[in-house]
Amino acid sequence: MYTNGGLVCEGVPVATISEKFGTPVYVYSQRAFIEHYNQLASEFRELNPKLCFSIKSCHNLHILRLLRDQGACFDAVSGGEVRRAVEVGTDPQDIVFAGVGKTEAELKYAVDIGVGCFNVETTTELEILENLGNQANRPVQAALRVNPDVDAGTHPYTTTGKSENKFGIEISQAKDLFLRYSQSKGLNLSGIHLHIGSPVNSTEPYVEMITKALELIADLKKADVNIELINIGGGYGANYEGDEAPSAEQYAAAIVPLLKNSGLKVNMEPGRSISANAGILVAKTTCVKKSRTKNFVITDGAMTDLFRPALYGAYHFVWPVNPGADFEPPHRSRDLKLDGTQLVDIVGPVCESSDFLGKDRWLPPVQKGDLIAVFSAGAYGATMTSQYNSRCRPPEVLVNGGKFRLIRRRETFDDLVAAEREV
Ligand code: LLP
């Protein structure tokens, strides 16, 4: 939010935070995380779902703890993410473990600690889990990730529910697998997991995938196989450039009626709808330059700090932190063009032409030293950082009602070389 020409987060000027911790820096709003989580919980309350926050979208332990305190469960996709959930005191029963290529070591660890549900994607994984369950004399709880062949209309790199994607088991093969494991002592395969991509900025693909899953469930019932759980995944949109994402209320209006009398337990795996608009990346302009065709604003923030623009051409609204009262943005949109703005590319210092934070944007005049905010960076921002070009990952700061604290320090050169020095 802009007040008196400057960006503030929960009452704290973003410039104050950047001065204290330097740039680039991630700044999160505690209030936004809590609000977004509670909106979903409230809109879907009729289904009483397990809301499993997708750790991959924002994995900082302090954020996980915050959501845990709100009642969140967690969706993990690696042994590392399971450990993050455990580290913040999560009962392993409240963790769902997804992922297309889990290793035997990861599966064994997760079975040993008693992870609540495995979202299984291959027959190999079913075999391993059944063995582990037999060895432990306790059936492993599992849901089969079914690929419903539904087009979620997302970027091809984040579409997961089409037949050509590596994810899940084709719906036509699912029945046989449920039948095969229906008498198993080591594996209780009684759930269906769906996740068709993200962000899914309409409700229809959810309706389509759930309808297909309910048909499968009815068919299985006829064969005496009882499905108890449906996990409807994540992918609920966030507003990056206006109001393109359905609200929690709209998703619920489409989904809840399909499931409320089904007798099924419901899991959900929201990530970005909670985290994207709870965080920004702040960078500092290191120089500006012009070519014959372009104006460049070069910042100390790069593709290593926010990979989404480089990887997917993803759009993030970018605006100066202190543009002055005349340039407070009235709204965030791709087409925003205020008088006195100029067309620029906002780029980083990394040696790749894909290293940009925003292209062809009408920005107020910017000079060396000016701070730039990249919005909607709370999801898949910090978690997708890298050390490419030997860059240290940025710090993360959490603002809470006028106060702020460091929740991850900036990496140092010693961090960059530690694993090499010690061998
Ligand atoms: N559940 C499963 C099985 C998933 O694969 C994902 C995301 C989610 C839940 C959470 O999706 P969300 O609600 O956050 O949209 N790096 C990309 C996104 C890749 C998402 C991978 N899976 C990005 O920056 O947009």
Side-chain angles (χ1 to χ4, degrees), residues 54 56 75 145 195 198 234-235 269 271-272 308 312 380 384:
S54 192
K56 67 173 92 62
D75 155 45
R145 178 164 178 179
H195 174 80
S198 63
E269 301 171 335
R272 86 180 68 231
R308 304 188 74 253
Y312 315 115
Y380 307 103
M384 289 175 75

Side-chain angles (χ1 to χ4, degrees), residues 54 56-57 75 77 98 119 121 145 157-158 160 167 193-195 197-199 233-236 240 269-273 275 308 311-312 379-380 384:
S54 192
K56 67 173 92 62
S57 78
D75 155 45
V77 290
N119 294 332
E121 305 211 21
R145 178 164 178 179
Y157 292 0
T158 58
T160 58
F167 297 98
H193 175 228
L194 302 150
H195 174 80
S198 63
Y236 314 97
Y240 288 87
E269 301 171 335
R272 86 180 68 231
S273 50
S275 50
R308 304 188 74 253
L311 187 59
Y312 315 115
Y380 307 103
M384 289 175 75

Side-chain angles (χ1 to χ4, degrees), residues 168-321:
I169 298 273
E170 230 169 81
I171 203 155
S172 58
Q173 297 166 11
K175 186 173 172 188
D176 278 353
L177 288 176
F178 279 111
L179 287 169
R180 190 180 316 162
Y181 284 92
S182 62
Q183 303 301 321
S184 170
K185 298 254 176 319
L187 189 70
N188 179 17
L189 186 64
S190 57
I192 287 183
H193 175 228
L194 302 150
H195 174 80
I196 51 176
S198 63
V200 187
N201 282 329
S202 65
T203 54
E204 289 79 12
Y206 288 97
V207 172
E208 205 184 323
M209 75 171 195
I210 292 169
T211 306
K212 286 191 175 184
L214 290 174
E215 281 164 13
L216 173 63
I217 291 170
D219 196 22
L220 286 166
K221 200 170 203 134
K222 284 188 214 139
D224 271 340
V225 176
N226 194 28
I227 300 296
E228 293 161 9
L229 168 87
I230 186 165
N231 181 334
I232 58 171
Y236 314 97
N239 290 324
Y240 288 87
E241 49 174 309
D243 57 1
E244 74 271 27
S247 61
E249 190 183 355
Q250 287 168 323
Y251 283 118
I255 295 171
V256 170
L258 298 175
L259 293 174
K260 76 173 172 195
N261 296 320
S262 66
L264 293 163
K265 285 190 237 159
V266 178
N267 285 357
M268 296 171 70
E269 301 171 335
R272 86 180 68 231
S273 50
I274 294 172
S275 50
N277 282 316
I280 59 171
L281 174 68
V282 184
K284 189 181 267 178
T285 308
T286 49
C287 44
V288 291
K289 79 171 182 181
K290 271 184 195 311
S291 75
R292 195 161 46 80
T293 50
K294 286 271 184 184
N295 296 310
F296 293 104
V297 172
I298 306 176
T299 76
D300 59 7
M303 65 190 285
T304 50
D305 308 305
L306 182 67
F307 197 25
R308 304 188 74 253
L311 187 59
Y312 315 115
Y315 174 90
H316 288 258
F317 182 68
V318 179
W319 204 254
V321 168

Side-chain angles (χ1 to χ4, degrees), residues 122-136:
T122 61
T123 50
T124 311
E125 192 183 344
L126 287 171
E127 285 159 21
I128 296 170
L129 286 174
E130 183 179 43
N131 279 336
L132 289 169
N134 284 334
Q135 281 159 26

Side-chain angles (χ1 to χ4, degrees), residues 24-36:
V25 56
Y26 273 96
V27 179
Y28 302 108
S29 159
Q30 174 156 333
R31 189 166 63 208
F33 271 105
I34 293 177
E35 268 179 27
H36 298 163

